[in-house]
Amino acid sequence: MIQLHRWWELGLVTIILIETYRILIIYLRQHRVSITHILEVGIVALVQKLIVTSDFKELDALKLFAVGGLLFILGYLYIKIGGE
């Protein structure tokens, strides 16, 4: 079980690094950054933080609602901005 947990952590960190690298390449080529790419990195980083480093037994209700609200806002912005 711990080995699977470690693979999830490494996979999500790899996705974050690839997305960050992609943002850097786009910026160097076009001198602009798409907000949707930054939101993708934010959502994946938040999910990585939740899955990998958090123990849900230790989280109180306020922190859980705060993380859920942040994830909802990032998802809403991604759908709203990504649709344009």
Side-chain angles (χ1 to χ4, degrees):
M1 181 66 178
I2 294 175
Q3 189 69 16
L4 180 63
H5 193 260
R6 181 74 176 144
W7 279 105
W8 270 106
E9 179 181 2
L10 291 175
L12 290 173
V13 168
T14 303
I15 291 171
I16 292 170
L17 290 175
I18 289 171
E19 289 292 323
T20 305
Y21 181 73
R22 189 173 76 162
I23 291 171
L24 177 65
I25 295 299
I26 290 171
Y27 176 74
L28 291 175
R29 288 184 182 164
Q30 302 175 357
H31 299 290
R32 67 176 189 86
V33 177
S34 174
I35 296 297
T36 56
H37 291 30
I38 294 172
L39 289 172
E40 286 175 4
V41 172
I43 290 170
V44 172
L46 183 62
V47 169
Q48 188 261 349
K49 181 74 171 170
L50 280 175
I51 291 174
V52 174
T53 61
S54 295
D55 185 16
F56 290 105
K57 295 176 185 175
E58 295 177 4
L59 287 176
D60 60 343
L62 182 61
K63 288 181 185 177
L64 204 54
F65 280 122
V67 170
L70 181 60
L71 190 58
F72 177 77
I73 290 170
L74 287 174
Y76 175 76
L77 288 174
Y78 181 76
I79 291 170
K80 183 78 171 168
I81 293 172
E84 295 176 355

